């Protein structure tokens, strides 16, 4: 059974950069994504605004805790 994403491919809710989410871009969870192969930083998840939780994808650098606040998006 194919599951489809209900919301559009949007920016990372923490830095505003491109999140690189393959399933969101393709509209289906039946596609592999980079996030299934990394450890997501719990501190990053805690910083996601309540309204964006469970409906937005973090970018790789925010998700892994490697995003430099001074780095361009």
């Amino acid at each position: 059974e194919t599951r489809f994403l209900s919301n559009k491919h949007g920016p990372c809710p923490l830095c505003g950069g491109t999140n690189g989410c393959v399933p969101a871009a393709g509209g289906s969870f039946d596609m592999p994504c980079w996030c299934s192969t990394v450890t997501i930083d719990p501190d990053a998840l805690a910083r996601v605004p309540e309204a964006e939780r469970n409906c937005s994808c973090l970018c790789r650098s925010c998700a892994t805790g490697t995003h430099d606040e001074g780095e361009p998006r």
Side-chain angles (χ1 to χ4, degrees), residues 9 19-25 28-38 57-58 60:
H9 180 65
N19 60 37
C21 180
V22 174
S28 171
F29 283 116
D30 291 339
M31 302 171 183
C33 190
W34 63 264
C35 67
S36 64
T37 63
V38 301
C57 299
L58 299 174
R60 183 186 297 257

Side-chain angles (χ1 to χ4, degrees), residues 39-62:
T39 300
I40 307 297
D41 180 8
D43 291 333
L45 289 177
R47 292 194 330 266
V48 174
E50 187 70 34
E52 298 288 326
R53 291 183 184 180
N54 298 313
C55 62
S56 292
C57 299
L58 299 174
C59 69
R60 183 186 297 257
S61 58
C62 285

